[in-house]
């Protein structure tokens, strides 16, 4: 039947359009720091090389002051929130356009959360968005994500449990996203479609 063509629906290549439509659905990072002047480094990967801008911070605010001079500082990034329920419908829209051009299926590369491990080592950086916090509350039985980040920062006895809930939330969002990606392929391209995927972004903090 010839060569099959699978087009990439990675939101990183369409983040400008996504964030134009849904500016509140960007990925964010919360840092535990004593430095109110802390800046978030611009970073790029192979999906952003040659792009006009990397995954830069577009906004910053101090969320909460903690004891011992610590504070929670939020950076909003020029990146799509992996937890937002608006993501999969947007990807399906991209896939439908590819189908109209004759593509045989849709693929996704490296979805997940911003790769902040190196930054985390120095500044205790954690993924955040309102959708992520809501999912954290569901997974943890109603706990408040921001309050638990303060627990993690203080090294309180509850920190280990909070980290476990955070990791379960990260993996749960990625599993949900993967299932939704299979489903949209089946809807658009049929049950025999070859689903191409490469999930890799899963933060680890200890």
């Amino acid at each position: 039947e010839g060569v099959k063509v699978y087009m990439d629906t990675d939101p990183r290549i369409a983040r400008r359009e996504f964030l134009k439509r849904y500016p509140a659905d960007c990925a964010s990072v919360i840092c535990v720091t004593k430095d109110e002047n802390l800046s978030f480094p611009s970073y790029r990967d192979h999906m952003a090389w040659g792009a006009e801008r990397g995954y830069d911070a577009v906004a910053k605010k101090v969320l909460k002051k903690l004891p011992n001079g610590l504070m929670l500082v939020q950076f909003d990034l020029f990146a799509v929130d992996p937890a937002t329920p608006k993501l999969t419908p947007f990807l399906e829209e991209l896939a439908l356009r590819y189908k109209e051009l004759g593509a045989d299926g849709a693929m996704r590369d490296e979805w997940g959360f911003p790769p902040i491990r190196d930054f985390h080592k120095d500044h205790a950086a954690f993924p955040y968005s309102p959708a992520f916090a809501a999912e954290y509350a569901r997974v943890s039985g109603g706990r408040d994500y921001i309050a638990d980040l303060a627990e993690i920062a203080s090294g309180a006895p509850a920190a280990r449990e909070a980290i476990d809930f955070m990791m379960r939330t990260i993996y749960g969002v990625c599993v949900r996203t993967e299932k939704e990606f299979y489903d949209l392929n089946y809807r658009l391209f049929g049950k025999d479609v070859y689903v191409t995927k490469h999930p890799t972004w899963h933060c680890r903090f200890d």
Side-chain angles (χ1 to χ4, degrees):
E1 297 181 6
V3 176
K4 299 288 187 180
V5 177
Y6 294 85
M7 300 299 292
D8 197 345
T9 58
D10 192 313
R12 288 175 290 177
I13 61 178
R15 56 204 161 107
R16 182 176 297 279
E17 176 61 26
F18 181 91
L19 294 173
K20 179 181 177 181
R21 296 187 196 181
Y22 314 113
D25 290 277
C26 65
S28 299
V29 171
I30 292 178
C31 299
V32 181
T33 180
K34 291 185 176 181
D35 183 5
E36 193 166 352
N37 296 316
L38 178 69
S39 61
F40 189 83
S42 176
Y43 65 93
R44 294 173 182 264
D45 59 16
H46 62 287
M47 299 299 288
W49 292 335
E52 181 179 340
R53 65 191 302 186
Y55 308 105
D56 305 337
V58 297
K60 171 187 172 182
K61 63 182 177 181
V62 176
L63 280 181
K64 189 175 184 179
K65 300 275 188 172
L66 304 175
N68 302 321
L70 291 171
M71 64 190 77
L72 301 181
V73 178
Q74 176 180 332
F75 294 96
D76 296 333
L77 308 183
F78 187 58
V80 176
D81 172 22
T84 175
K86 297 183 179 72
L87 177 56
T88 293
F90 180 78
L91 299 184
E92 186 160 352
E93 180 183 331
L94 295 180
L96 180 59
R97 293 185 181 186
Y98 289 144
K99 180 182 179 182
E100 292 169 349
L101 294 173
D104 298 292
M107 66 167 286
R108 277 199 70 186
D109 182 31
E110 295 182 340
W111 71 81
F113 291 80
I116 56 175
R117 285 185 66 186
D118 291 340
F119 191 66
H120 168 77
K121 293 175 185 176
D122 297 324
H123 303 293
F126 303 93
Y128 173 73
S129 72
F132 184 85
E135 180 65 11
Y136 180 91
R138 187 193 67 80
V139 168
S140 64
R143 292 171 63 144
D144 181 88
Y145 183 56
I146 302 299
D148 277 2
L149 286 183
E151 291 285 310
I152 293 172
S154 70
R160 167 54 61 183
E161 188 176 26
I163 291 172
D164 289 343
F165 283 132
M166 179 172 59
M167 295 304 304
R168 287 168 57 187
T169 302
I170 289 172
Y171 283 110
V173 167
C174 290
V175 167
R176 186 198 74 209
T177 301
E178 183 168 346
K179 181 181 183 302
E180 290 174 349
F181 188 65
Y182 274 107
D183 291 343
L184 78 83
N185 263 282
Y186 296 147
R187 281 196 302 273
L188 294 182
F189 299 99
K191 64 181 180 64
D192 295 323
V193 65
Y194 183 86
V195 181
T196 309
K197 61 188 181 65
H198 180 210
T200 54
W201 283 7
H202 307 296
C203 301
R204 294 192 298 271
F205 298 103
D206 59 350

